Amino acid sequence: MQLARFPRLRFAHLPTPLEPLENLSKHLGVRTLIKRDDCTGLSTGGNKTRKLEFLAADALDKKADTLLTQGAVQSNHARQTAAIAARLGMRCEILLEDRTGNHAPDYMHSGNVFLDLLHGASIARFPAGTDMSQALDEAAANVRARGGRPYIIPGGGSTPIGALGYVNCALELVHQATAMGLAIDTVVTATGSGGTQGGLVAGLEILRSGIGVLGIGVRVPRQQQEDSVFALATKTADLLGHPGAVARSAVVANCDYVGQGYGLPTSGMVEAVEMLARLEGILIDPVYTGKGMAGLIDLARKGQFKDKTIVFLHTGGSAGLFGYTGAFDFGAAA
Ligand SMILES: Cc1ncc(COP(=O)(O)O)c(C=O)c1O
């Protein structure tokens, strides 16, 4: 696979560690490791750093001077896009959609929103249900009218170019597992806009790694999630010159842990965030990794991972905790 054919900027801290979660493994009775993509660098780290290495290189190739993107109010993707724009001396415009209906001050202004502004991005807010692709096109037209050169990064950076970042993660993981003498059965990851799972699946399938990927959905029902991840994985494999490398059966999502909707807390998420914080000293997030880990915990309790070796992909997002303090109740300890 010729990943080196694609323009890429090198700012991620790679390879990210692959570490055992010893206390969690004992607690759940399942051998569980963690791939620390929360340590990729770039404004508290996370999965978008890998995608942005390829997307920002494409933007520079196209002579852009302004990055435009969209997401939910507490979007991690927006925060990391703001950070790379700052690093590259580009302008950044972020369009935030009110997807959760949460108007608490910390949700509206703290966490990722605070960091977007700290990185010098401009923010525009939109009501739920806005056609955000159209809003991005209009914002790009405004940039052009002012004489700027916009580059649109769709929500989550989940294009085939962005997904190359997770093909790179697949390569890295296979090398690490080989060096450690580790036979991984399944990688568990939160899956939203799909570029993380799509890129991972494309990479692991092209490599014929024998490693499965289980996406834990955070927003839509299973069929819709799997279809969109499969479409993206297929396009990513095509881009890499491996058409047909991804079997439909390689794309598996479990969307039983979404709860009432995207970005809305669940008791499983709260339990998972607290469990990782208290057993491992690791921060996960309320919107993605918290629900992803809630799925892992529940499936482990149900025996789905018996005698398996599981890698949880920590895709970052802990900055979002500061937008969700109301979801946690520390009782008398507070
Ligand atoms: C912390 C975190 N984890 C996981 C995801 C999901 O990744 P993807 O959108 O590539 O499916 C996101 C997306 O924004 C995220 O911010």
Side-chain angles (χ1 to χ4, degrees), residues 37-38 43-47 74-77 79-80 111-112 283-289 314-324:
D37 271 19
D38 57 321
S43 187
T44 78
N47 57 346
Q74 284 293 334
S75 166
N76 301 300
H77 163 69
R79 178 244 312 157
Q80 294 210 274
N112 285 299
L283 298 177
I284 56 175
D285 87 282
V287 179
Y288 296 95
T289 49
H314 189 339
T315 43
S318 61
L321 283 170
F322 300 99
Y324 278 86

PDB file of all heavy atoms in Angstrom, residues 37-38 43-47 74-77 79-80 111-112 283-289 314-324:
ATOM      1  N   ASP A  37      -4.663   7.349  20.963  1.00  0.00           N
ATOM      2  CA  ASP A  37      -4.777   8.432  19.986  1.00  0.00           C
ATOM      3  C   ASP A  37      -5.281   9.732  20.612  1.00  0.00           C
ATOM      4  O   ASP A  37      -5.442  10.735  19.911  1.00  0.00           O
ATOM      5  CB  ASP A  37      -5.657   8.003  18.800  1.00  0.00           C
ATOM      6  CG  ASP A  37      -4.827   7.331  17.716  1.00  0.00           C
ATOM      7  OD1 ASP A  37      -3.704   6.890  18.017  1.00  0.00           O
ATOM      8  OD2 ASP A  37      -5.300   7.250  16.554  1.00  0.00           O
ATOM      9  N   ASP A  38      -5.483   9.695  21.938  1.00  0.00           N
ATOM     10  CA  ASP A  38      -5.696  10.966  22.633  1.00  0.00           C
ATOM     11  C   ASP A  38      -4.354  11.678  22.833  1.00  0.00           C
ATOM     12  O   ASP A  38      -4.327  12.826  23.276  1.00  0.00           O
ATOM     13  CB  ASP A  38      -6.371  10.736  23.992  1.00  0.00           C
ATOM     14  CG  ASP A  38      -5.576   9.792  24.894  1.00  0.00           C
ATOM     15  OD1 ASP A  38      -5.015   8.794  24.388  1.00  0.00           O
ATOM     16  OD2 ASP A  38      -5.510  10.049  26.108  1.00  0.00           O
ATOM     17  N   SER A  43      -3.523  20.445  20.369  1.00  0.00           N
ATOM     18  CA  SER A  43      -4.644  20.934  21.164  1.00  0.00           C
ATOM     19  C   SER A  43      -5.367  19.815  21.906  1.00  0.00           C
ATOM     20  O   SER A  43      -6.535  19.535  21.651  1.00  0.00           O
ATOM     21  CB  SER A  43      -5.638  21.685  20.275  1.00  0.00           C
ATOM     22  OG  SER A  43      -6.635  22.290  21.067  1.00  0.00           O
ATOM     23  N   THR A  44      -4.674  19.178  22.802  1.00  0.00           N
ATOM     24  CA  THR A  44      -5.123  18.047  23.639  1.00  0.00           C
ATOM     25  C   THR A  44      -5.296  16.738  22.868  1.00  0.00           C
ATOM     26  O   THR A  44      -5.717  15.746  23.440  1.00  0.00           O
ATOM     27  CB  THR A  44      -6.404  18.330  24.485  1.00  0.00           C
ATOM     28  OG1 THR A  44      -7.554  18.237  23.646  1.00  0.00           O
ATOM     29  CG2 THR A  44      -6.392  19.680  25.176  1.00  0.00           C
ATOM     30  N   GLY A  45      -4.948  16.713  21.599  1.00  0.00           N
ATOM     31  CA  GLY A  45      -4.903  15.440  20.859  1.00  0.00           C
ATOM     32  C   GLY A  45      -6.254  14.920  20.422  1.00  0.00           C
ATOM     33  O   GLY A  45      -7.281  15.571  20.593  1.00  0.00           O
ATOM     34  N   GLY A  46      -6.230  13.730  19.825  1.00  0.00           N
ATOM     35  CA  GLY A  46      -7.467  13.111  19.349  1.00  0.00           C
ATOM     36  C   GLY A  46      -7.341  12.613  17.924  1.00  0.00           C
ATOM     37  O   GLY A  46      -6.308  12.814  17.270  1.00  0.00           O
ATOM     38  N   ASN A  47      -8.414  11.977  17.454  1.00  0.00           N
ATOM     39  CA  ASN A  47      -8.333  11.301  16.153  1.00  0.00           C
ATOM     40  C   ASN A  47      -8.202  12.264  14.972  1.00  0.00           C
ATOM     41  O   ASN A  47      -7.675  11.891  13.921  1.00  0.00           O
ATOM     42  CB  ASN A  47      -9.532  10.358  15.949  1.00  0.00           C
ATOM     43  CG  ASN A  47     -10.885  11.038  16.053  1.00  0.00           C
ATOM     44  OD1 ASN A  47     -11.000  12.165  16.527  1.00  0.00           O
ATOM     45  ND2 ASN A  47     -11.926  10.344  15.624  1.00  0.00           N
ATOM     46  N   GLN A  74     -19.925  21.214  20.871  1.00  0.00           N
ATOM     47  CA  GLN A  74     -18.706  20.719  21.537  1.00  0.00           C
ATOM     48  C   GLN A  74     -17.898  19.828  20.579  1.00  0.00           C
ATOM     49  O   GLN A  74     -17.334  18.808  20.981  1.00  0.00           O
ATOM     50  CB  GLN A  74     -19.055  19.963  22.813  1.00  0.00           C
ATOM     51  CG  GLN A  74     -19.432  20.862  23.967  1.00  0.00           C
ATOM     52  CD  GLN A  74     -18.251  21.709  24.470  1.00  0.00           C
ATOM     53  OE1 GLN A  74     -17.085  21.342  24.329  1.00  0.00           O
ATOM     54  NE2 GLN A  74     -18.561  22.856  25.049  1.00  0.00           N
ATOM     55  N   SER A  75     -17.787  20.226  19.329  1.00  0.00           N
ATOM     56  CA  SER A  75     -17.051  19.422  18.341  1.00  0.00           C
ATOM     57  C   SER A  75     -15.544  19.384  18.636  1.00  0.00           C
ATOM     58  O   SER A  75     -14.905  20.436  18.727  1.00  0.00           O
ATOM     59  CB  SER A  75     -17.282  20.024  16.952  1.00  0.00           C
ATOM     60  OG  SER A  75     -16.355  19.491  16.026  1.00  0.00           O
ATOM     61  N   ASN A  76     -15.022  18.176  18.763  1.00  0.00           N
ATOM     62  CA  ASN A  76     -13.564  18.021  18.905  1.00  0.00           C
ATOM     63  C   ASN A  76     -12.871  18.288  17.585  1.00  0.00           C
ATOM     64  O   ASN A  76     -11.751  18.802  17.538  1.00  0.00           O
ATOM     65  CB  ASN A  76     -13.231  16.600  19.362  1.00  0.00           C
ATOM     66  CG  ASN A  76     -13.879  16.267  20.683  1.00  0.00           C
ATOM     67  OD1 ASN A  76     -13.616  16.917  21.675  1.00  0.00           O
ATOM     68  ND2 ASN A  76     -14.752  15.264  20.689  1.00  0.00           N
ATOM     69  N   HIS A  77     -13.556  17.900  16.517  1.00  0.00           N
ATOM     70  CA  HIS A  77     -13.001  18.104  15.174  1.00  0.00           C
ATOM     71  C   HIS A  77     -12.782  19.598  14.897  1.00  0.00           C
ATOM     72  O   HIS A  77     -11.756  20.002  14.348  1.00  0.00           O
ATOM     73  CB  HIS A  77     -13.953  17.491  14.144  1.00  0.00           C
ATOM     74  CG  HIS A  77     -13.728  17.955  12.760  1.00  0.00           C
ATOM     75  ND1 HIS A  77     -12.597  17.605  12.049  1.00  0.00           N
ATOM     76  CD2 HIS A  77     -14.455  18.772  11.961  1.00  0.00           C
ATOM     77  CE1 HIS A  77     -12.660  18.189  10.848  1.00  0.00           C
ATOM     78  NE2 HIS A  77     -13.757  18.895  10.785  1.00  0.00           N
ATOM     79  N   ARG A  79     -12.299  21.954  17.125  1.00  0.00           N
ATOM     80  CA  ARG A  79     -11.175  22.430  17.960  1.00  0.00           C
ATOM     81  C   ARG A  79      -9.831  22.056  17.332  1.00  0.00           C
ATOM     82  O   ARG A  79      -8.909  22.864  17.282  1.00  0.00           O
ATOM     83  CB  ARG A  79     -11.324  21.818  19.355  1.00  0.00           C
ATOM     84  CG  ARG A  79     -10.231  22.170  20.337  1.00  0.00           C
ATOM     85  CD  ARG A  79      -9.438  20.943  20.775  1.00  0.00           C
ATOM     86  NE  ARG A  79     -10.293  19.843  21.153  1.00  0.00           N
ATOM     87  CZ  ARG A  79      -9.906  18.571  21.144  1.00  0.00           C
ATOM     88  NH1 ARG A  79      -8.688  18.246  20.779  1.00  0.00           N
ATOM     89  NH2 ARG A  79     -10.741  17.603  21.491  1.00  0.00           N
ATOM     90  N   GLN A  80      -9.720  20.849  16.820  1.00  0.00           N
ATOM     91  CA  GLN A  80      -8.431  20.446  16.247  1.00  0.00           C
ATOM     92  C   GLN A  80      -8.184  21.142  14.905  1.00  0.00           C
ATOM     93  O   GLN A  80      -7.037  21.452  14.569  1.00  0.00           O
ATOM     94  CB  GLN A  80      -8.375  18.920  16.107  1.00  0.00           C
ATOM     95  CG  GLN A  80      -8.394  18.244  17.479  1.00  0.00           C
ATOM     96  CD  GLN A  80      -7.645  16.932  17.475  1.00  0.00           C
ATOM     97  OE1 GLN A  80      -8.217  15.909  17.144  1.00  0.00           O
ATOM     98  NE2 GLN A  80      -6.373  16.964  17.811  1.00  0.00           N
ATOM     99  N   GLY A 111     -15.050  24.053  27.495  1.00  0.00           N
ATOM    100  CA  GLY A 111     -14.557  22.888  26.753  1.00  0.00           C
ATOM    101  C   GLY A 111     -14.033  23.272  25.378  1.00  0.00           C
ATOM    102  O   GLY A 111     -13.229  24.196  25.221  1.00  0.00           O
ATOM    103  N   ASN A 112     -14.513  22.579  24.369  1.00  0.00           N
ATOM    104  CA  ASN A 112     -14.009  22.793  23.008  1.00  0.00           C
ATOM    105  C   ASN A 112     -14.290  24.202  22.481  1.00  0.00           C
ATOM    106  O   ASN A 112     -13.494  24.741  21.709  1.00  0.00           O
ATOM    107  CB  ASN A 112     -14.619  21.761  22.060  1.00  0.00           C
ATOM    108  CG  ASN A 112     -13.997  20.391  22.233  1.00  0.00           C
ATOM    109  OD1 ASN A 112     -12.798  20.212  22.032  1.00  0.00           O
ATOM    110  ND2 ASN A 112     -14.798  19.423  22.634  1.00  0.00           N
ATOM    111  N   LEU A 283      -8.543   9.922  31.038  1.00  0.00           N
ATOM    112  CA  LEU A 283      -9.750  10.698  30.739  1.00  0.00           C
ATOM    113  C   LEU A 283     -10.307  10.278  29.389  1.00  0.00           C
ATOM    114  O   LEU A 283      -9.593  10.326  28.382  1.00  0.00           O
ATOM    115  CB  LEU A 283      -9.420  12.194  30.689  1.00  0.00           C
ATOM    116  CG  LEU A 283      -8.886  12.807  31.985  1.00  0.00           C
ATOM    117  CD1 LEU A 283      -8.523  14.278  31.756  1.00  0.00           C
ATOM    118  CD2 LEU A 283      -9.923  12.671  33.108  1.00  0.00           C
ATOM    119  N   ILE A 284     -11.568   9.862  29.372  1.00  0.00           N
ATOM    120  CA  ILE A 284     -12.254   9.688  28.091  1.00  0.00           C
ATOM    121  C   ILE A 284     -13.337  10.759  28.007  1.00  0.00           C
ATOM    122  O   ILE A 284     -13.408  11.619  28.875  1.00  0.00           O
ATOM    123  CB  ILE A 284     -12.778   8.241  27.884  1.00  0.00           C
ATOM    124  CG1 ILE A 284     -13.699   7.809  29.016  1.00  0.00           C
ATOM    125  CG2 ILE A 284     -11.601   7.279  27.745  1.00  0.00           C
ATOM    126  CD1 ILE A 284     -14.339   6.425  28.787  1.00  0.00           C
ATOM    127  N   ASP A 285     -14.154  10.752  26.972  1.00  0.00           N
ATOM    128  CA  ASP A 285     -15.026  11.920  26.756  1.00  0.00           C
ATOM    129  C   ASP A 285     -16.508  11.547  26.786  1.00  0.00           C
ATOM    130  O   ASP A 285     -16.860  10.378  26.639  1.00  0.00           O
ATOM    131  CB  ASP A 285     -14.655  12.616  25.432  1.00  0.00           C
ATOM    132  CG  ASP A 285     -15.395  12.013  24.250  1.00  0.00           C
ATOM    133  OD1 ASP A 285     -14.995  10.932  23.774  1.00  0.00           O
ATOM    134  OD2 ASP A 285     -16.408  12.599  23.825  1.00  0.00           O
ATOM    135  N   PRO A 286     -17.377  12.549  26.970  1.00  0.00           N
ATOM    136  CA  PRO A 286     -18.803  12.249  27.151  1.00  0.00           C
ATOM    137  C   PRO A 286     -19.567  11.899  25.878  1.00  0.00           C
ATOM    138  O   PRO A 286     -20.653  11.324  25.960  1.00  0.00           O
ATOM    139  CB  PRO A 286     -19.363  13.552  27.739  1.00  0.00           C
ATOM    140  CG  PRO A 286     -18.313  14.588  27.595  1.00  0.00           C
ATOM    141  CD  PRO A 286     -17.041  13.963  27.170  1.00  0.00           C
ATOM    142  N   VAL A 287     -19.043  12.259  24.709  1.00  0.00           N
ATOM    143  CA  VAL A 287     -19.839  12.141  23.481  1.00  0.00           C
ATOM    144  C   VAL A 287     -19.437  10.913  22.651  1.00  0.00           C
ATOM    145  O   VAL A 287     -20.293  10.253  22.055  1.00  0.00           O
ATOM    146  CB  VAL A 287     -19.696  13.426  22.623  1.00  0.00           C
ATOM    147  CG1 VAL A 287     -20.481  13.328  21.323  1.00  0.00           C
ATOM    148  CG2 VAL A 287     -20.132  14.641  23.437  1.00  0.00           C
ATOM    149  N   TYR A 288     -18.156  10.603  22.632  1.00  0.00           N
ATOM    150  CA  TYR A 288     -17.656   9.529  21.748  1.00  0.00           C
ATOM    151  C   TYR A 288     -17.045   8.375  22.546  1.00  0.00           C
ATOM    152  O   TYR A 288     -17.612   7.292  22.628  1.00  0.00           O
ATOM    153  CB  TYR A 288     -16.621  10.103  20.771  1.00  0.00           C
ATOM    154  CG  TYR A 288     -17.192  11.127  19.832  1.00  0.00           C
ATOM    155  CD1 TYR A 288     -17.125  12.491  20.115  1.00  0.00           C
ATOM    156  CD2 TYR A 288     -17.813  10.743  18.646  1.00  0.00           C
ATOM    157  CE1 TYR A 288     -17.664  13.433  19.258  1.00  0.00           C
ATOM    158  CE2 TYR A 288     -18.355  11.672  17.774  1.00  0.00           C
ATOM    159  CZ  TYR A 288     -18.274  13.020  18.082  1.00  0.00           C
ATOM    160  OH  TYR A 288     -18.816  13.942  17.236  1.00  0.00           O
ATOM    161  N   THR A 289     -15.872   8.630  23.120  1.00  0.00           N
ATOM    162  CA  THR A 289     -15.169   7.512  23.774  1.00  0.00           C
ATOM    163  C   THR A 289     -15.917   7.016  25.008  1.00  0.00           C
ATOM    164  O   THR A 289     -15.810   5.838  25.362  1.00  0.00           O
ATOM    165  CB  THR A 289     -13.731   7.926  24.147  1.00  0.00           C
ATOM    166  OG1 THR A 289     -13.766   9.192  24.835  1.00  0.00           O
ATOM    167  CG2 THR A 289     -12.870   8.064  22.910  1.00  0.00           C
ATOM    168  N   HIS A 314      -8.538   4.964  21.743  1.00  0.00           N
ATOM    169  CA  HIS A 314      -8.915   6.201  22.456  1.00  0.00           C
ATOM    170  C   HIS A 314      -8.782   7.362  21.467  1.00  0.00           C
ATOM    171  O   HIS A 314      -7.683   7.833  21.194  1.00  0.00           O
ATOM    172  CB  HIS A 314      -8.019   6.413  23.669  1.00  0.00           C
ATOM    173  CG  HIS A 314      -8.476   7.545  24.557  1.00  0.00           C
ATOM    174  ND1 HIS A 314      -9.309   8.557  24.119  1.00  0.00           N
ATOM    175  CD2 HIS A 314      -8.237   7.794  25.868  1.00  0.00           C
ATOM    176  CE1 HIS A 314      -9.548   9.383  25.114  1.00  0.00           C
ATOM    177  NE2 HIS A 314      -8.913   8.941  26.184  1.00  0.00           N
ATOM    178  N   THR A 315      -9.918   7.801  20.963  1.00  0.00           N
ATOM    179  CA  THR A 315      -9.916   8.820  19.914  1.00  0.00           C
ATOM    180  C   THR A 315      -9.919  10.246  20.461  1.00  0.00           C
ATOM    181  O   THR A 315     -10.070  11.198  19.693  1.00  0.00           O
ATOM    182  CB  THR A 315     -11.132   8.598  18.991  1.00  0.00           C
ATOM    183  OG1 THR A 315     -12.279   8.310  19.825  1.00  0.00           O
ATOM    184  CG2 THR A 315     -10.893   7.419  18.061  1.00  0.00           C
ATOM    185  N   GLY A 316      -9.753  10.391  21.773  1.00  0.00           N
ATOM    186  CA  GLY A 316      -9.592  11.741  22.344  1.00  0.00           C
ATOM    187  C   GLY A 316     -10.898  12.327  22.845  1.00  0.00           C
ATOM    188  O   GLY A 316     -11.830  11.614  23.187  1.00  0.00           O
ATOM    189  N   GLY A 317     -10.946  13.659  22.907  1.00  0.00           N
ATOM    190  CA  GLY A 317     -12.192  14.347  23.248  1.00  0.00           C
ATOM    191  C   GLY A 317     -12.339  14.789  24.693  1.00  0.00           C
ATOM    192  O   GLY A 317     -13.375  15.351  25.059  1.00  0.00           O
ATOM    193  N   SER A 318     -11.291  14.566  25.528  1.00  0.00           N
ATOM    194  CA  SER A 318     -11.500  14.853  26.957  1.00  0.00           C
ATOM    195  C   SER A 318     -11.751  16.340  27.217  1.00  0.00           C
ATOM    196  O   SER A 318     -12.350  16.689  28.245  1.00  0.00           O
ATOM    197  CB  SER A 318     -10.328  14.346  27.796  1.00  0.00           C
ATOM    198  OG  SER A 318      -9.138  14.978  27.412  1.00  0.00           O
ATOM    199  N   ALA A 319     -11.349  17.211  26.288  1.00  0.00           N
ATOM    200  CA  ALA A 319     -11.654  18.641  26.476  1.00  0.00           C
ATOM    201  C   ALA A 319     -13.168  18.854  26.595  1.00  0.00           C
ATOM    202  O   ALA A 319     -13.633  19.788  27.259  1.00  0.00           O
ATOM    203  CB  ALA A 319     -11.101  19.466  25.312  1.00  0.00           C
ATOM    204  N   GLY A 320     -13.937  17.969  25.959  1.00  0.00           N
ATOM    205  CA  GLY A 320     -15.399  18.066  26.001  1.00  0.00           C
ATOM    206  C   GLY A 320     -15.974  17.829  27.384  1.00  0.00           C
ATOM    207  O   GLY A 320     -17.116  18.216  27.658  1.00  0.00           O
ATOM    208  N   LEU A 321     -15.199  17.177  28.278  1.00  0.00           N
ATOM    209  CA  LEU A 321     -15.699  16.949  29.647  1.00  0.00           C
ATOM    210  C   LEU A 321     -16.110  18.264  30.302  1.00  0.00           C
ATOM    211  O   LEU A 321     -17.079  18.310  31.066  1.00  0.00           O
ATOM    212  CB  LEU A 321     -14.609  16.284  30.506  1.00  0.00           C
ATOM    213  CG  LEU A 321     -14.366  14.786  30.291  1.00  0.00           C
ATOM    214  CD1 LEU A 321     -13.107  14.353  31.029  1.00  0.00           C
ATOM    215  CD2 LEU A 321     -15.582  13.975  30.759  1.00  0.00           C
ATOM    216  N   PHE A 322     -15.379  19.327  29.989  1.00  0.00           N
ATOM    217  CA  PHE A 322     -15.652  20.620  30.635  1.00  0.00           C
ATOM    218  C   PHE A 322     -16.934  21.263  30.111  1.00  0.00           C
ATOM    219  O   PHE A 322     -17.407  22.236  30.682  1.00  0.00           O
ATOM    220  CB  PHE A 322     -14.440  21.546  30.489  1.00  0.00           C
ATOM    221  CG  PHE A 322     -13.215  20.944  31.138  1.00  0.00           C
ATOM    222  CD1 PHE A 322     -12.260  20.286  30.372  1.00  0.00           C
ATOM    223  CD2 PHE A 322     -13.071  20.971  32.511  1.00  0.00           C
ATOM    224  CE1 PHE A 322     -11.164  19.691  30.972  1.00  0.00           C
ATOM    225  CE2 PHE A 322     -11.978  20.372  33.120  1.00  0.00           C
ATOM    226  CZ  PHE A 322     -11.016  19.724  32.351  1.00  0.00           C
ATOM    227  N   GLY A 323     -17.464  20.722  29.017  1.00  0.00           N
ATOM    228  CA  GLY A 323     -18.771  21.169  28.526  1.00  0.00           C
ATOM    229  C   GLY A 323     -19.904  20.320  29.091  1.00  0.00           C
ATOM    230  O   GLY A 323     -21.074  20.563  28.782  1.00  0.00           O
ATOM    231  N   TYR A 324     -19.558  19.295  29.868  1.00  0.00           N
ATOM    232  CA  TYR A 324     -20.559  18.331  30.335  1.00  0.00           C
ATOM    233  C   TYR A 324     -20.483  18.106  31.839  1.00  0.00           C
ATOM    234  O   TYR A 324     -20.839  17.023  32.304  1.00  0.00           O
ATOM    235  CB  TYR A 324     -20.339  16.989  29.639  1.00  0.00           C
ATOM    236  CG  TYR A 324     -20.952  16.903  28.252  1.00  0.00           C
ATOM    237  CD1 TYR A 324     -20.264  17.357  27.130  1.00  0.00           C
ATOM    238  CD2 TYR A 324     -22.224  16.365  28.064  1.00  0.00           C
ATOM    239  CE1 TYR A 324     -20.807  17.271  25.861  1.00  0.00           C
ATOM    240  CE2 TYR A 324     -22.785  16.275  26.803  1.00  0.00           C
ATOM    241  CZ  TYR A 324     -22.074  16.726  25.702  1.00  0.00           C
ATOM    242  OH  TYR A 324     -22.631  16.636  24.449  1.00  0.00           O
TER     243      TYR A 324
END
